Amino acid sequence: MGCSSSKEGVAVDPAPRPSLTSQPPSATLQKPSPIPAQAAPPSMVGLNPPATFPSATTPTPPPPVRNDVSPGAWPKTVEQGQTTIQIWHHPMSSPTQGNFYCWTYVSHGLNRVNQPEVVFTIRQRPNESENDYPQAPFEWVKLVYGYAGSGLHLQLFEPYDFIFEDSVQIVIHRVVALDSARKWESMKNFGMLTHGIPIEIASLPAGALPKDRHHVVALTPNEAAVAREFGRTRVIGQVGLAARWFPYPPWIDRDRSDCCTMADQQGSVRVRGLPMMHISKFSALKIHDTIVFKIPNDKERENAFRAVVRDSQLSQALGFESSLHEDADSGLVWKSGQTRPEAYGIDCQSMNRINLAFFIFCPQQDKDHCIMVEDGYSLMLKDNTWKNIRSAIEGRREIVIPLADNMRFRLEWTKTTYHNPIDGQAYSDRWKSYEPSNPGPQPDSHVRTEHIVLLREPAPNELSADALAAYIKQIHGALEALIPVQNPGGLNAPGKQVTIEIELPRSDSWLKVMARPSAEGLPVQDIGRAVAGVPSPQVRSPVKFQIVENLWGYKGPHPQFS
């Protein structure tokens, strides 16, 4: 596949590949129609939104609107009942649309009713001044607060329909709210709002966006019709692809045209195929050679998922829509007429965590394998394998299944609490797992890395992943050189586990070492000196992490996530 990059994005000229042809897996007791064992790999459309404004690679055009706001005039702060809304007026640069200005509205106070804050960004029209910011975002925050206060919380990627007539009807959780159409005038070209995962807006100052937040995404009436029938992820992928921005453009363009319609779904296997169940926050990704099905740490949704699986026949196929996940760096896309699989992402060289639009468990197969179907994947399973997966789902256990063609499937339960073995504290966060770019078995060594946990992430652009990885690799090498190859306790002695906690920049108590099941026979002081002897990367803001190393085939308890 050919690929060339520039500041404004990445152009891809994929080599010719066979078109993807398949039959929808059957949801009945009959064995599904045959599907090719291996679909063609996706062609990658790399998208790399500029981090600065304006682009340095093209002549700077004059600003499209007046921007004579004096320093300090933004943000404007509006008190609204129990919430406060900050409005920022700021530049934006798009690979496809050039340079323009936006208003970004940021709520503060929704957390009082256990609702993530709302970020609502609207593109400014050329004939509008910076003080002509629309009123609809204020009304949306007011609605969200009211619903959340009554126990109806807005979740990621759920559909919230808009119907414009003499008044506007807003449907949230099947409850219809009527309001004056005049207040929502700026949204009249849209038929649905949904809440997306947090994304960064580079032209806003650091700290302007709260950590726990949802970004509002607006879909046209035609896109909304597709979203109801084929899922939000399929539509949002087309919106992001059209703007060359992954996972979706942060701004709402009130004058944009449809990015997809029902006519674009002609010929889809989903038209008459298996219905897809939507459970909020469920996601499926292709991470290198592994299809990962991620289940959120949410009792209500976990129970709903287990009930669906438990109540289904063993021979029945089950399909699930997949929401965009924060770990994804790319996503599959599909439209009628597409002759090969396609994906879009941040960079065509780093599409290692591809978000899927849907995922299917398809039993009654002769072998365990997976195939790409449009913008999703189907896991083709032998009945015994499907029984094992169902048992893992019922017991809330993780499971890894080897598949044909050197692929794997992993069922993963999202962890939100890490129980620190050194200080006993419980760290609550949205933990991310990071995979090596070239995965494979670790070398046969007496020191093997179990995992690495970031307890405090570095500030953006403060410490690159490559620099941190190189530092950790040097520490691992120092331990391999220090720790004797043979267990001093003898061949039959149990192994040990060493947890090393590092906080940078270095200060008092920057380094801690703990051993399981005990430190007896371990040169703990020498381990500390070896780690301290490795030059650490230079950072200004704090970063804290743990390296967990297994020595001599350790098989005992591990630091726990829950």
Side-chain angles (χ1 to χ4, degrees), residues 405-548:
D405 303 306
N406 297 315
M407 294 289 291
R408 296 184 302 170
F409 166 74
R410 185 168 81 232
L411 183 72
E412 184 177 288
W413 302 80
T414 302
K415 310 298 193 299
T416 57
T417 303
Y418 176 65
H419 303 277
N420 191 334
I422 290 181
D423 59 18
Q425 291 187 42
Y427 289 74
S428 295
D429 208 331
R430 291 190 292 264
W431 297 98
K432 295 181 179 180
S433 59
Y434 294 92
E435 306 278 340
S437 57
N438 294 300
Q442 291 193 39
D444 186 16
S445 172
H446 58 297
V447 180
R448 292 174 65 87
T449 303
E450 170 70 20
H451 61 241
I452 299 159
V453 181
L454 279 174
L455 300 176
R456 182 183 297 163
E457 287 192 88
N461 303 319
E462 176 70 27
L463 177 64
S464 73
D466 288 343
L468 181 59
Y471 178 51
I472 292 171
K473 186 176 181 180
Q474 285 184 282
I475 291 173
H476 181 85
L479 293 179
E480 279 192 313
L482 173 68
I483 303 296
V485 174
Q486 300 296 329
N487 190 332
L491 292 176
N492 297 322
K496 294 184 182 292
Q497 185 178 81
V498 175
T499 300
I500 301 168
E501 183 174 287
I502 296 172
E503 187 166 7
L504 302 176
R506 297 187 182 191
S507 60
D508 293 341
S509 302
W510 71 276
L511 175 64
K512 298 182 178 69
V513 179
M514 189 204 82
R516 292 175 185 253
S518 72
E520 184 179 354
L522 271 182
V524 175
Q525 294 296 327
D526 290 341
I527 290 173
R529 281 190 283 269
V531 173
V534 175
S536 55
Q538 297 298 312
V539 294
R540 293 182 297 276
S541 60
V543 56
K544 184 178 180 181
F545 57 94
Q546 288 183 350
I547 308 169
V548 181

Side-chain angles (χ1 to χ4, degrees), residues 355-400:
N355 213 108
L356 313 181
F358 64 91
F359 182 75
I360 299 171
F361 294 102
C362 188
Q364 293 200 301
Q365 303 299 307
D366 296 327
K367 66 175 182 178
D368 297 327
H369 62 289
C370 64
I371 62 165
M372 186 188 301
V373 182
E374 296 176 355
D375 49 6
Y377 261 81
S378 183
L379 190 63
M380 318 298 283
L381 301 168
K382 297 185 294 187
D383 285 347
N384 283 339
T385 306
W386 180 220
K387 286 180 183 178
N388 291 336
I389 294 174
R390 290 166 68 103
S391 176
I393 292 170
E394 184 63 30
R396 201 181 183 275
R397 301 191 309 275
E398 297 200 352
I399 189 171
V400 177

Side-chain angles (χ1 to χ4, degrees), residues 279-293:
I279 303 177
S280 179
K281 301 179 184 178
F282 274 56
S283 300
L285 294 90
K286 181 180 182 293
I287 303 177
H288 303 295
D289 60 356
T290 304
I291 304 299
V292 182
F293 192 51

Side-chain angles (χ1 to χ4, degrees), residues 22 31 36 40 50 129 143 158 161 198 234 239 261 273 313 336 389 453 475 478 492 498:
S22 63
K31 183 177 271 190
S129 77
L143 272 178
E158 289 184 343
D161 291 319
R234 172 169 287 192
V239 173
T261 67
Q313 298 292 325
S336 179
I389 294 174
V453 181
I475 291 173
N492 297 322
V498 175

Side-chain angles (χ1 to χ4, degrees), residues 23-37:
Q23 299 294 324
S26 169
T28 67
L29 300 183
Q30 296 179 343
K31 183 177 271 190
S33 302
I35 306 182

